[in-house]
Amino acid sequence: MSFKYTTLVLFNLTTLCNAANILGIITTASYSHQVVYINLWRELSLRGHNVTVMTTDPVKDPKLVNLTELDLHWLYKRVANISKIAERATIWNFQQEVIGLLLPSSEEVLSYSPVQELIHNKHQRSFDVVLVEFMTPEFLAFAELYKCPKIVISSLDVFTHIHRAMGNPSHPNLRPEIGSVFSRESSTFGQRVINTLHSWYLSYFHAFKNYPARKKLIEKYFNLTVSVEDLLSDVDALFVAVYPELQRAKAHGSTTVTIGDLRPKVNSYYLCYLQDLKEFLDSAKDGFIYFSLGSNVKSNELGSEIFKTIFEAIKEVPFKVLWKYEGDDLPGKPDSIKTIKWAPQQNVLAHPNIKVFVTQGGLQSLEEGIYHEVPFVVIPFFADQMQNANLMKTKGIARVVERKPSIKKEDLMGSILEVARNPKYKQAVKKLKELILDTPMTGLEKAVWWTEYVIRHKGTKHLRNLAADMPFYEYYFLDVIVFFVLLSVTVLYVFIILGKLFYKIILCRILNNTPLIRKKLE
Ligand SMILES: *[C@@H]1O[C@H](CO)[C@@H](O)[C@H](O)[C@H]1NC(C)=O
Ligand SMILES: *[C@@H]1O[C@H](CO)[C@@H](O)[C@H](O)[C@H]1NC(C)=O
Ligand SMILES: *[C@@H]1O[C@H](CO)[C@@H](O)[C@H](O)[C@H]1NC(C)=O
Ligand SMILES: *[C@@H]1O[C@H](CO)[C@@H](O)[C@H](O)[C@H]1NC(C)=O
């Protein structure tokens, strides 16, 4: 069945879509962002499209002759202190801090000479579609320049205002903002009030601070007067790397496509090339714990208190521990712990001896763990990680260890032991994986199909979400509500007037005619 479907899809694509020129722009200097898209570029180029991408992590694969990568690796210097941002992030400053990092990056990219050439040589080149990551919507101006459709792509769920621009419901309690610590699963009345305020505050921030700054970049570098709001509301497709089975099903228009994870999955075979690591993991007969806080949070840059607590806890667990630790030495490290600066994560997760994955709760780690059926202990740090942690807890696949106000050793140890020993976590991960994989098309197939669909039809105006063009007051029935309120007030008013008249005219006349009162009046 699934085989038939795949051939059908391939047939459609090869017959209806000629080789196109595709421009992809992902300037976020973060490995976890870039890896998600690499496979889309690869796949599109293998299908004969001429793909040009701006990326901070080029794959430089000589076999991909139709893929041209513009290397922006130097942008990593801009995010050198991201661990510190994680440390001081609150729901009120998270998006501002990240955007504060990305704005000067964008300016640097736009003044980079190969990019300048793309801007100024528009008469010698053409593009059939432009794909841009959601955090840097200013690059959508390339689509204006080349008069082609635009796709926004994301490695996590996007900012709420982007859903709003697409006409998708952007209710603050169904879609808490990125950086919010609350999720639908756990929100109390007080949290819903905060979520709503947070959402309003961010609407203000984007409309009056963020977008105007990006509009200036567009004016300066593209000589265009288009606003970011207009660019976003004119997007032809939005690819979000979420799974409804995991992140909950939410309503959205036809051109918002959930693509999940685009990466191919691997087994533990590759470990044969890393003898040292393989021996350590093979010898863990009672199982091992894999500890990694992802590519953004560096274990050796953690505050000393939290670092000490983590070290103390994993020293004492009765399992071997593989720790992704970026520092050089770790005094007092027992033999049961092995540190590694960079781990071939999927291969480690695929190892049969693994018991628990201790993670910061980044989406890519989460997806890899689920694929390899490894239950989690989550220590969320920032961005979407608090919400991911809540989801994982609700799905029964993880225990969450709070980092604020302070991380507790007993809490971390207890959670690791519980998840390692109680089979219910592993069973829940297995079940979730089954649900996620039971789908007619993989995320990559969907993303490729939709990209080519957008190219074939020169956009998706025929699928435009009705809600995207509806004024705010109409969408929320504000005019209708005001009408009914006024009507009720009027009717009430009329009743009161009539009541008073009734009292004055009729009641008084009756009373006036009663002998007792007449006597009194006389
Ligand atoms: C490159 O693109 C051409 C068509 O434009 C296609 O025939 C060829 O298979 C592609 N090669 C690779 C390695 O992607
Ligand atoms: C493919 O894209 C590259 C880089 O943008 C460009 O140099 C090349 O001329 C393009 N090839 C074709 C056949 O359009
Ligand atoms: C990162 O922090 C160091 C030390 O606090 C500082 O010297 C450096 O300028 C910072 N880098 C960036 C890109 O902000
Ligand atoms: C910018 O665009 C305007 C009109 O669209 C044009 O008159 C002007 O020469 C352009 N400026 C530059 C620097 O290209």
Side-chain angles (χ1 to χ4, degrees):
M1 184 64 192
S2 72
F3 173 70
K4 250 166 123 184
Y5 200 92
T6 324
T7 41
L8 183 75
V9 171
L10 293 178
F11 178 74
N12 262 347
L13 297 178
T14 43
T15 51
L16 291 177
C17 195
N18 298 325
N21 293 309
I22 296 173
L23 177 62
I25 307 173
I26 316 290
T27 59
T28 310
S30 166
Y31 184 68
S32 65
H33 283 237
Q34 301 285 344
V35 284
V36 173
Y37 312 114
I38 287 167
N39 295 289
L40 179 58
W41 312 138
R42 176 185 290 124
E43 192 60 30
L44 288 169
S45 79
L46 288 175
R47 300 174 71 84
H49 300 302
N50 190 14
V51 183
T52 308
V53 293
M54 301 180 199
T55 169
T56 56
D57 296 76
V59 283
K60 297 188 177 141
D61 183 346
K63 286 198 279 274
L64 299 175
V65 294
N66 300 325
L67 175 62
T68 312
E69 290 169 306
L70 238 155
D71 188 352
L72 304 177
H73 195 78
W74 41 270
L75 280 174
Y76 269 96
K77 70 175 188 297
R78 288 249 166 229
V79 296
N81 298 335
I82 192 103
S83 296
K84 292 199 187 87
I85 288 196
E87 204 51 49
R88 63 170 185 262
T90 68
I91 70 169
W92 301 106
N93 67 10
F94 171 72
Q95 288 195 21
Q96 294 86 316
E97 293 263 2
V98 171
I99 281 159
L101 279 181
L102 292 181
L103 200 64
S105 289
S106 286
E107 176 135 29
E108 257 185 285
V109 171
L110 286 168
S111 33
Y112 184 45
S113 64
V115 177
Q116 282 279 310
E117 227 175 281
L118 274 181
I119 295 176
H120 295 296
N121 290 357
K122 63 176 181 208
H123 301 301
Q124 284 127 48
R125 304 229 30 189
S126 76
F127 286 107
D128 300 290
V129 68
V130 173
L131 293 99
V132 173
E133 200 190 30
F134 76 108
M135 304 233 263
T136 50
E138 58 276 23
F139 292 113
L140 289 170
F142 271 106
E144 293 291 303
L145 204 64
Y146 283 98
K147 310 245 174 308
C148 68
K150 33 183 150 352
I151 295 177
V152 168
I153 178 167
S154 165
S155 63
L156 62 166
D157 204 350
V158 296
F159 294 138
T160 310
H161 65 260
I162 296 180
H163 280 297
R164 199 175 300 136
M166 297 287 292
N168 297 336
S170 56
H171 191 304
N173 294 316
L174 287 179
R175 282 188 198 284
E177 295 277 356
I178 297 178
S180 164
V181 287
F182 312 131
S183 65
R184 178 72 197 101
E185 281 67 30
S186 65
S187 53
T188 60
F189 175 74
Q191 291 176 339
R192 293 206 308 275
V193 169
I194 295 178
N195 256 351
T196 308
L197 284 177
H198 184 220
S199 173
W200 288 347
Y201 172 61
L202 285 174
S203 299
Y204 156 81
F205 166 72
H206 287 295
F208 293 99
K209 302 267 183 226
N210 182 28
Y211 288 167
R214 288 173 196 268
K215 184 171 192 284
K216 278 204 191 110
L217 285 185
I218 296 174
E219 271 165 17
K220 179 168 171 196
Y221 290 94
F222 293 90
N223 193 24
L224 291 171
T225 48
V226 63
S227 73
V228 175
E229 282 93 334
D230 288 345
L231 286 174
L232 281 174
S233 77
D234 191 37
V235 160
D236 292 281
L238 169 65
F239 296 166
V240 265
V242 301
Y243 291 111
E245 296 85 356
L246 177 65
Q247 277 104 333
R248 311 297 294 264
K250 288 166 195 151
H252 54 66
S254 323
T255 56
T256 298
V257 186
T258 55
I259 53 173
D261 194 355
L262 298 177
R263 293 166 302 158
K265 295 301 183 285
V266 302
N267 55 30
S268 65
Y269 177 74
Y270 175 73
L271 293 177
C272 296
Y273 298 104
L274 306 166
Q275 263 315 315
D276 204 31
L277 180 59
K278 185 174 175 351
E279 266 164 34
F280 179 78
L281 300 183
D282 285 349
S283 70
K285 293 292 175 232
D286 296 327
F288 72 89
I289 309 297
Y290 171 50
F291 189 108
S292 166
L293 298 178
S295 51
N296 291 325
V297 180
K298 307 270 183 285
S299 287
N300 58 331
E301 289 172 11
L302 292 173
S304 62
E305 202 54 42
I306 172 170
F307 176 81
K308 218 175 105 204
T309 313
I310 289 175
F311 190 32
E312 291 291 316
I314 63 176
K315 254 201 290 202
E316 283 178 32
V317 292
F319 303 105
K320 291 202 167 181
V321 177
L322 178 65
W323 190 3
K324 179 175 162 287
Y325 173 80
E326 294 78 4
D328 285 322
D329 57 341
L330 195 54
K333 176 180 80 68
D335 287 342
S336 65
I337 298 179
K338 181 175 174 63
T339 60
I340 186 167
K341 284 193 182 173
W342 175 84
Q345 179 155 301
Q346 282 210 52
N347 311 94
V348 169
L349 291 171
H351 196 283
N353 288 351
I354 191 163
K355 288 273 181 212
V356 180
F357 180 8
V358 185
T359 170
Q360 89 288 16
L363 210 47
Q364 281 69 44
S365 290
L366 175 49
E367 286 163 348
E368 287 177 352
I370 292 172
Y371 185 82
H372 294 289
E373 302 176 6
V374 185
F376 306 86
V377 168
V378 199
I379 313 174
F381 275 76
F382 71 146
D384 55 338
Q385 294 164 5
M386 283 78 70
Q387 287 176 43
N388 293 346
N390 262 330
L391 274 173
M392 293 158 82
K393 192 162 89 183
T394 318
K395 296 278 172 191
I397 63 174
R399 284 277 294 250
V400 178
V401 176
E402 294 301 338
R403 193 173 51 88
K404 280 175 181 170
S406 71
I407 187 167
K408 302 220 169 34
K409 181 182 141 194
E410 297 72 32
D411 193 10
L412 181 55
M413 263 190 75
S415 297
I416 292 176
L417 293 182
E418 160 77 5
V419 173
R421 290 180 176 154
N422 190 333
K424 73 174 188 190
Y425 295 96
K426 173 115 183 160
Q427 280 156 12
V429 182
K430 260 191 159 142
K431 180 68 200 161
L432 186 57
K433 173 188 171 183
E434 239 176 81
L435 292 175
I436 284 177
L437 292 187
D438 198 350
T439 159
M441 252 171 143
T442 65
L444 185 58
E445 281 167 345
K446 272 200 231 176
V448 168
W449 190 89
W450 273 97
T451 306
E452 296 189 337
Y453 179 88
V454 167
I455 295 169
R456 277 199 294 280
H457 301 289
K458 303 193 166 42
T460 61
K461 297 294 170 274
H462 56 288
L463 288 178
R464 190 169 169 78
N465 193 339
L466 208 50
D469 297 320
M470 209 179 255
F472 175 82
Y473 66 86
E474 243 183 73
Y475 186 83
Y476 287 104
F477 285 102
L478 294 185
D479 48 352
V480 179
I481 292 173
V482 167
F483 169 74
F484 277 116
V485 168
L486 287 180
L487 190 68
S488 314
V489 169
T490 312
V491 168
L492 202 68
Y493 187 68
V494 168
F495 268 108
I496 290 171
I497 300 276
L498 286 180
K500 277 186 177 163
L501 275 177
F502 177 79
Y503 176 75
K504 269 193 188 149
I505 299 170
I506 304 180
L507 215 59
C508 287
R509 188 161 295 169
I510 294 170
L511 292 179
N512 281 347
N513 288 338
T514 56
L516 190 75
I517 294 182
R518 207 170 343 153
K519 217 179 240 170
K520 258 193 183 167
L521 284 174
E522 280 163 2

